[in-house]
């Protein structure tokens, strides 16, 4: 594929996409600070990090990193790092998206969601081969609990992901994280299979 335009920021690249135009945005290896949330609303947009896994890093700076409202989008091979109690990937009403081969890292001592699908139900998304590190550490040793993936929606598939809470000492023994949480009776047909969870509470569904 040929590269038609180059951009200095992800925000400017996203702003230049068109709905249902099947645009691809390739991120060069490097570390990038996101000070204002990047909002992707167009459908059929692909954001792909180049290089070996973990070499494209988006670090938040007080705001959520990426908000996804467009359908049929792809997010691949990107390392998301939360700087505070923020959301790495906030999906709002996004359907049939493919999130794969990414790293999601939470901020120590804060209840940050890695992927949040709570505001509006998200349906028929495929989330696979990602690694979630919640990095839960509290100075007082009190329990901090969050969810790596939390949301509303139906017929989503979560497979071949790895969830790890990253407790660092016995004083933080209560600081566990839930891997996947869906909390509405209307959530039906979600599939969770072949995931690995370490020091995590697993998957829960609450009516």
């Amino acid at each position: 594929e040929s590269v038609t335009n180059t951009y200095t920021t992800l925000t400017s690249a996203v702003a230049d996409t068109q709905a249902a135009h099947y645009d691809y945005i390739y991120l060069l290896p490097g570390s990038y600070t996101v000070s204002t949330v990047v909002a992707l609303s167009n459908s059929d947009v692909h954001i792909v990090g180049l290089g070996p896994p973990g070499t494209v890093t988006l670090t938040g700076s007080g705001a959520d990193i990426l908000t996804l409202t467009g359908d049929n989008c792809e997010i691949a091979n990107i390392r998301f790092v939360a700087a505070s109690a923020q959301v790495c990937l906030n999906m709002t009403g996004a359907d049939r998206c493919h999130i794969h081969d990414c790293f999601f890292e939470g901020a120590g001592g804060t209840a940050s969601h890695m992927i949040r699908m709570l505001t509006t139900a998200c349906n028929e998304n495929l989330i696979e081969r990602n690694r979630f590190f919640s990095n839960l550490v509290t100075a007082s040793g009190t329990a901090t609990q969050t969810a790596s993936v939390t949301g509303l929606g139906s017929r989503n598939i979560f497979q071949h992901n790895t969830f790890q809470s990253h407790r660092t000492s016995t004083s933080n023994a209560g600081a566990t994280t839930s891997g996947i949480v869906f909390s509405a009776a209307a959530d039906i047909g979600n599939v969770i299979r072949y995931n690995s969870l370490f020091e995590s509470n697993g998957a829960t569904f609450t009516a």
Side-chain angles (χ1 to χ4, degrees):
E1 296 184 29
S2 61
V3 176
T4 57
N5 295 291
T6 58
Y7 303 87
T8 58
T9 67
L10 177 58
T11 298
S12 59
V14 167
D16 206 24
T17 62
Q18 300 179 43
H21 198 256
Y22 304 100
D23 289 316
Y24 277 80
I25 298 174
Y26 294 106
L27 302 180
L28 294 176
S31 297
Y32 307 95
T33 299
V34 178
S35 56
T36 303
V37 61
V38 178
L40 176 56
S41 59
N42 287 329
S43 61
D44 300 288
V45 175
H46 306 260
I47 302 179
V48 180
L50 299 179
T55 56
V56 175
T57 300
L58 299 181
T59 301
S61 177
D64 296 344
I65 298 175
L66 177 62
T67 295
L68 175 58
T69 57
D71 298 333
N72 306 308
C73 291
E74 177 190 18
I75 308 296
N77 196 34
I78 299 173
R79 176 174 171 247
F80 294 87
V81 180
S84 60
Q86 59 189 184
V87 180
C88 291
L89 175 57
N90 194 356
M91 300 176 66
T92 303
D95 298 333
R96 298 175 302 280
C97 294
H98 190 194
I99 313 300
H100 64 95
D101 298 290
C102 292
F103 291 80
F104 294 90
E105 301 181 18
T110 63
S112 53
H113 299 301
M114 308 298 98
I115 297 179
R116 186 175 187 268
M117 308 162 73
L118 275 178
T119 306
T120 304
C122 300
N123 304 305
E124 300 177 353
N125 296 285
L126 176 58
I127 298 176
E128 63 177 345
R129 299 191 307 274
N130 301 288
R131 300 186 69 180
F132 297 88
F133 302 94
S134 65
N135 299 329
L136 291 177
V137 180
T138 54
S140 62
T142 58
T144 300
Q145 185 170 349
T146 185
S148 293
V149 178
T150 184
L152 302 169
S154 300
R155 300 177 301 281
N156 297 287
I157 298 176
F158 304 88
Q159 63 183 14
H160 302 292
N161 300 289
T162 300
F163 299 87
Q164 187 168 354
S165 69
H166 268 204
R167 293 178 298 183
T168 60
S169 70
T170 56
S171 64
N172 291 300
T176 57
T177 183
S178 300
I180 303 171
V181 174
F182 275 72
S183 56
D187 299 332
I188 59 173
N190 291 296
V191 176
I192 300 175
R193 61 188 180 189
Y194 314 128
N195 298 286
S196 299
L197 298 101
F198 303 95
E199 298 179 332
S200 297
N201 288 338
T204 63
F205 292 84
T206 305

